[in-house]
mmCIF file of all heavy atoms in Angstrom:
data_model
loop_
_atom_site.group_PDB
_atom_site.id
_atom_site.type_symbol
_atom_site.label_atom_id
_atom_site.label_comp_id
_atom_site.label_asym_id
_atom_site.label_seq_id
_atom_site.Cartn_x
_atom_site.Cartn_y
_atom_site.Cartn_z
ATOM 1 N N THR A 38 -15.658 164.267 9.151
ATOM 2 C CA THR A 38 -16.484 164.890 8.199
ATOM 3 C C THR A 38 -15.837 165.110 6.932
ATOM 4 O O THR A 38 -16.555 164.947 5.900
ATOM 5 C CB THR A 38 -17.036 166.214 8.855
ATOM 6 O OG1 THR A 38 -17.369 166.072 10.209
ATOM 7 C CG2 THR A 38 -18.166 166.744 8.071
ATOM 8 N N ALA A 39 -14.700 165.619 6.983
ATOM 9 C CA ALA A 39 -13.945 165.834 5.696
ATOM 10 C C ALA A 39 -13.787 164.624 4.903
ATOM 11 O O ALA A 39 -13.949 164.557 3.660
ATOM 12 C CB ALA A 39 -12.620 166.512 6.071
ATOM 13 N N ILE A 40 -13.351 163.577 5.593
ATOM 14 C CA ILE A 40 -13.139 162.271 4.836
ATOM 15 C C ILE A 40 -14.545 161.854 4.248
ATOM 16 O O ILE A 40 -14.440 161.356 3.059
ATOM 17 C CB ILE A 40 -12.607 161.196 5.784
ATOM 18 C CG1 ILE A 40 -11.222 161.638 6.219
ATOM 19 C CG2 ILE A 40 -12.532 159.900 5.023
ATOM 20 C CD1 ILE A 40 -10.575 160.575 7.119
ATOM 21 N N LEU A 41 -15.584 161.953 4.949
ATOM 22 C CA LEU A 41 -16.888 161.388 4.496
ATOM 23 C C LEU A 41 -17.285 162.304 3.274
ATOM 24 O O LEU A 41 -17.782 161.678 2.286
ATOM 25 C CB LEU A 41 -17.914 161.460 5.621
ATOM 26 C CG LEU A 41 -17.790 160.266 6.571
ATOM 27 C CD1 LEU A 41 -18.802 160.429 7.640
ATOM 28 C CD2 LEU A 41 -17.918 158.973 5.880
ATOM 29 N N CYS A 42 -17.180 163.581 3.356
ATOM 30 C CA CYS A 42 -17.603 164.434 2.356
ATOM 31 C C CYS A 42 -16.877 164.168 1.036
ATOM 32 O O CYS A 42 -17.356 164.159 -0.044
ATOM 33 C CB CYS A 42 -17.579 165.905 2.702
ATOM 34 S SG CYS A 42 -18.848 166.394 3.760
ATOM 35 N N THR A 43 -15.468 163.998 1.204
ATOM 36 C CA THR A 43 -14.598 163.801 0.045
ATOM 37 C C THR A 43 -14.924 162.452 -0.615
ATOM 38 O O THR A 43 -14.972 162.295 -1.863
ATOM 39 C CB THR A 43 -13.184 163.811 0.383
ATOM 40 O OG1 THR A 43 -12.901 164.767 1.479
ATOM 41 C CG2 THR A 43 -12.359 164.188 -0.732
ATOM 42 N N ASN A 44 -15.305 161.387 0.256
ATOM 43 C CA ASN A 44 -15.687 160.130 -0.281
ATOM 44 C C ASN A 44 -17.015 160.367 -1.103
ATOM 45 O O ASN A 44 -17.111 159.722 -2.159
ATOM 46 C CB ASN A 44 -15.913 159.101 0.881
ATOM 47 C CG ASN A 44 -14.710 158.478 1.247
ATOM 48 O OD1 ASN A 44 -13.721 158.355 0.483
ATOM 49 N ND2 ASN A 44 -14.614 158.017 2.514
ATOM 50 N N ALA A 45 -17.875 161.073 -0.600
ATOM 51 C CA ALA A 45 -19.162 161.275 -1.217
ATOM 52 C C ALA A 45 -18.984 161.876 -2.574
ATOM 53 O O ALA A 45 -19.563 161.393 -3.634
ATOM 54 C CB ALA A 45 -20.093 162.122 -0.355
ATOM 55 N N VAL A 46 -18.071 162.862 -2.681
ATOM 56 C CA VAL A 46 -17.860 163.473 -4.056
ATOM 57 C C VAL A 46 -17.161 162.547 -4.956
ATOM 58 O O VAL A 46 -17.509 162.539 -6.133
ATOM 59 C CB VAL A 46 -17.066 164.782 -3.862
ATOM 60 C CG1 VAL A 46 -16.740 165.437 -5.099
ATOM 61 C CG2 VAL A 46 -18.026 165.866 -3.038
ATOM 62 N N ALA A 47 -16.208 161.775 -4.408
ATOM 63 C CA ALA A 47 -15.421 161.001 -5.279
ATOM 64 C C ALA A 47 -16.168 159.789 -5.847
ATOM 65 O O ALA A 47 -15.733 159.245 -6.850
ATOM 66 C CB ALA A 47 -14.158 160.461 -4.584
ATOM 67 N N VAL A 48 -17.411 159.390 -5.181
ATOM 68 C CA VAL A 48 -18.046 158.283 -5.632
ATOM 69 C C VAL A 48 -19.043 158.593 -6.745
ATOM 70 O O VAL A 48 -19.458 157.608 -7.483
ATOM 71 C CB VAL A 48 -18.843 157.751 -4.402
ATOM 72 C CG1 VAL A 48 -19.906 156.776 -4.734
ATOM 73 C CG2 VAL A 48 -17.866 157.066 -3.439
ATOM 74 N N LEU A 49 -19.255 159.876 -7.103
ATOM 75 C CA LEU A 49 -20.145 160.213 -8.189
ATOM 76 C C LEU A 49 -19.592 159.778 -9.527
ATOM 77 O O LEU A 49 -18.644 160.269 -9.990
ATOM 78 C CB LEU A 49 -20.349 161.769 -8.223
ATOM 79 C CG LEU A 49 -20.950 162.262 -6.944
ATOM 80 C CD1 LEU A 49 -20.989 163.745 -7.049
ATOM 81 C CD2 LEU A 49 -22.389 161.761 -6.804
ATOM 82 N N HIS A 50 -20.253 158.808 -10.130
ATOM 83 C CA HIS A 50 -19.697 158.231 -11.332
ATOM 84 C C HIS A 50 -20.017 159.063 -12.531
ATOM 85 O O HIS A 50 -21.019 159.567 -12.678
ATOM 86 C CB HIS A 50 -20.217 156.791 -11.569
ATOM 87 C CG HIS A 50 -19.536 156.012 -12.482
ATOM 88 N ND1 HIS A 50 -19.821 156.059 -13.845
ATOM 89 C CD2 HIS A 50 -18.480 155.132 -12.285
ATOM 90 C CE1 HIS A 50 -18.905 155.179 -14.417
ATOM 91 N NE2 HIS A 50 -18.236 154.613 -13.585
ATOM 92 N N GLU A 51 -19.107 159.093 -13.469
ATOM 93 C CA GLU A 51 -19.283 160.108 -14.571
ATOM 94 C C GLU A 51 -20.283 159.561 -15.535
ATOM 95 O O GLU A 51 -21.204 160.232 -15.793
ATOM 96 C CB GLU A 51 -17.905 160.162 -15.321
ATOM 97 C CG GLU A 51 -17.938 161.061 -16.499
ATOM 98 C CD GLU A 51 -18.309 162.363 -16.172
ATOM 99 O OE1 GLU A 51 -17.802 162.944 -15.205
ATOM 100 O OE2 GLU A 51 -19.188 162.959 -16.971
ATOM 101 N N GLU A 52 -20.164 158.331 -16.008
ATOM 102 C CA GLU A 52 -21.094 157.780 -17.028
ATOM 103 C C GLU A 52 -22.474 157.487 -16.414
ATOM 104 O O GLU A 52 -23.512 157.843 -17.046
ATOM 105 C CB GLU A 52 -20.508 156.619 -17.728
ATOM 106 C CG GLU A 52 -19.324 156.797 -18.488
ATOM 107 C CD GLU A 52 -18.760 155.495 -19.001
ATOM 108 O OE1 GLU A 52 -19.386 154.426 -18.748
ATOM 109 O OE2 GLU A 52 -17.724 155.443 -19.660
ATOM 110 N N ARG A 53 -22.453 156.776 -15.358
ATOM 111 C CA ARG A 53 -23.740 156.229 -14.911
ATOM 112 C C ARG A 53 -24.630 157.230 -14.278
ATOM 113 O O ARG A 53 -25.873 157.063 -14.275
ATOM 114 C CB ARG A 53 -23.450 155.040 -13.869
ATOM 115 C CG ARG A 53 -22.891 153.845 -14.519
ATOM 116 C CD ARG A 53 -22.635 152.786 -13.406
ATOM 117 N NE ARG A 53 -21.601 151.921 -13.711
ATOM 118 C CZ ARG A 53 -20.858 151.259 -12.854
ATOM 119 N NH1 ARG A 53 -21.160 151.430 -11.625
ATOM 120 N NH2 ARG A 53 -19.997 150.458 -13.251
ATOM 121 N N PHE A 54 -24.003 158.313 -13.702
ATOM 122 C CA PHE A 54 -24.901 159.173 -12.976
ATOM 123 C C PHE A 54 -24.867 160.625 -13.451
ATOM 124 O O PHE A 54 -25.896 161.108 -13.783
ATOM 125 C CB PHE A 54 -24.493 159.113 -11.441
ATOM 126 C CG PHE A 54 -25.166 160.021 -10.626
ATOM 127 C CD1 PHE A 54 -26.633 159.860 -10.404
ATOM 128 C CD2 PHE A 54 -24.482 160.961 -9.980
ATOM 129 C CE1 PHE A 54 -27.295 160.782 -9.618
ATOM 130 C CE2 PHE A 54 -25.248 161.849 -9.215
ATOM 131 C CZ PHE A 54 -26.551 161.862 -8.966
ATOM 132 N N LEU A 55 -23.670 161.161 -13.626
ATOM 133 C CA LEU A 55 -23.580 162.618 -13.842
ATOM 134 C C LEU A 55 -24.060 162.878 -15.241
ATOM 135 O O LEU A 55 -24.794 163.970 -15.371
ATOM 136 C CB LEU A 55 -22.202 163.058 -13.642
ATOM 137 C CG LEU A 55 -21.640 163.054 -12.218
ATOM 138 C CD1 LEU A 55 -20.320 163.530 -12.111
ATOM 139 C CD2 LEU A 55 -22.546 163.920 -11.338
ATOM 140 N N SER A 56 -23.716 162.097 -16.249
ATOM 141 C CA SER A 56 -24.276 162.409 -17.564
ATOM 142 C C SER A 56 -25.742 162.293 -17.604
ATOM 143 O O SER A 56 -26.394 163.095 -18.325
ATOM 144 C CB SER A 56 -23.594 161.415 -18.617
ATOM 145 O OG SER A 56 -22.201 161.579 -18.512
ATOM 146 N N LYS A 57 -26.339 161.373 -16.823
ATOM 147 C CA LYS A 57 -27.782 161.169 -16.921
ATOM 148 C C LYS A 57 -28.543 162.371 -16.373
ATOM 149 O O LYS A 57 -29.611 162.624 -16.800
ATOM 150 C CB LYS A 57 -28.110 159.938 -16.047
ATOM 151 C CG LYS A 57 -27.522 158.650 -16.476
ATOM 152 C CD LYS A 57 -28.370 157.907 -17.542
ATOM 153 C CE LYS A 57 -27.622 156.777 -18.305
ATOM 154 N NZ LYS A 57 -27.134 155.808 -17.276
ATOM 155 N N ILE A 58 -27.939 163.119 -15.431
ATOM 156 C CA ILE A 58 -28.719 164.171 -14.867
ATOM 157 C C ILE A 58 -28.151 165.456 -15.486
ATOM 158 O O ILE A 58 -28.476 166.556 -14.990
ATOM 159 C CB ILE A 58 -28.572 164.225 -13.366
ATOM 160 C CG1 ILE A 58 -27.160 164.512 -12.895
ATOM 161 C CG2 ILE A 58 -29.269 163.041 -12.738
ATOM 162 C CD1 ILE A 58 -27.009 164.720 -11.439
ATOM 163 N N GLY A 59 -27.413 165.414 -16.512
ATOM 164 C CA GLY A 59 -27.022 166.641 -17.201
ATOM 165 C C GLY A 59 -25.797 167.335 -16.556
ATOM 166 O O GLY A 59 -25.670 168.577 -16.724
ATOM 167 N N TRP A 60 -25.131 166.570 -15.734
ATOM 168 C CA TRP A 60 -23.891 167.167 -15.136
ATOM 169 C C TRP A 60 -22.639 166.706 -15.647
ATOM 170 O O TRP A 60 -21.721 166.544 -14.904
ATOM 171 C CB TRP A 60 -24.063 167.058 -13.600
ATOM 172 C CG TRP A 60 -24.859 168.013 -12.926
ATOM 173 C CD1 TRP A 60 -25.869 168.789 -13.504
ATOM 174 C CD2 TRP A 60 -24.780 168.413 -11.532
ATOM 175 N NE1 TRP A 60 -26.506 169.543 -12.493
ATOM 176 C CE2 TRP A 60 -25.830 169.377 -11.406
ATOM 177 C CE3 TRP A 60 -24.033 168.044 -10.440
ATOM 178 C CZ2 TRP A 60 -26.024 170.046 -10.124
ATOM 179 C CZ3 TRP A 60 -24.230 168.617 -9.263
ATOM 180 C CH2 TRP A 60 -25.220 169.624 -9.113
ATOM 181 N N GLY A 61 -22.571 166.179 -16.833
ATOM 182 C CA GLY A 61 -21.459 165.578 -17.340
ATOM 183 C C GLY A 61 -20.343 166.501 -17.640
ATOM 184 O O GLY A 61 -20.608 167.747 -17.557
ATOM 185 N N VAL A 62 -19.215 165.932 -18.038
ATOM 186 C CA VAL A 62 -18.081 166.836 -18.352
ATOM 187 C C VAL A 62 -18.256 167.753 -19.490
ATOM 188 O O VAL A 62 -17.857 168.969 -19.479
ATOM 189 C CB VAL A 62 -16.738 166.054 -18.428
ATOM 190 C CG1 VAL A 62 -15.583 166.875 -18.754
ATOM 191 C CG2 VAL A 62 -16.547 165.179 -17.235
ATOM 192 N N ASP A 63 -18.946 167.234 -20.582
ATOM 193 C CA ASP A 63 -19.091 168.043 -21.735
ATOM 194 C C ASP A 63 -20.198 169.092 -21.607
ATOM 195 O O ASP A 63 -20.333 169.952 -22.395
ATOM 196 C CB ASP A 63 -19.372 167.097 -22.808
ATOM 197 C CG ASP A 63 -20.398 166.037 -22.555
ATOM 198 O OD1 ASP A 63 -20.630 165.895 -21.246
ATOM 199 O OD2 ASP A 63 -20.974 165.378 -23.356
ATOM 200 N N GLN A 64 -21.084 168.845 -20.559
ATOM 201 C CA GLN A 64 -22.211 169.804 -20.492
ATOM 202 C C GLN A 64 -21.826 170.939 -19.634
ATOM 203 O O GLN A 64 -22.694 171.843 -19.361
ATOM 204 C CB GLN A 64 -23.396 169.049 -19.900
ATOM 205 C CG GLN A 64 -23.931 168.012 -20.858
ATOM 206 C CD GLN A 64 -24.315 166.765 -20.155
ATOM 207 O OE1 GLN A 64 -24.117 166.616 -18.991
ATOM 208 N NE2 GLN A 64 -25.014 165.851 -20.835
ATOM 209 N N GLY A 65 -20.739 171.011 -18.949
ATOM 210 C CA GLY A 65 -20.464 172.126 -18.133
ATOM 211 C C GLY A 65 -19.964 173.381 -18.714
ATOM 212 O O GLY A 65 -20.568 174.444 -18.620
ATOM 213 N N VAL A 66 -18.843 173.247 -19.533
ATOM 214 C CA VAL A 66 -18.200 174.438 -20.044
ATOM 215 C C VAL A 66 -18.975 174.893 -21.227
ATOM 216 O O VAL A 66 -19.014 174.370 -22.291
ATOM 217 C CB VAL A 66 -16.718 174.044 -20.497
ATOM 218 C CG1 VAL A 66 -15.952 175.283 -21.094
ATOM 219 C CG2 VAL A 66 -16.001 173.372 -19.410
#
Side-chain angles (χ1 to χ4, degrees):
Chain A
T38 315
I40 294 180
L41 285 176
C42 284
T43 324
N44 274 335
V46 172
V48 165
L49 300 172
H50 195 274
E51 179 61 45
E52 293 172 2
R53 289 183 208 152
F54 176 65
L55 291 179
S56 304
K57 300 270 168 60
I58 62 170
W60 277 25
V62 177
D63 48 347
Q64 291 141 349
V66 184

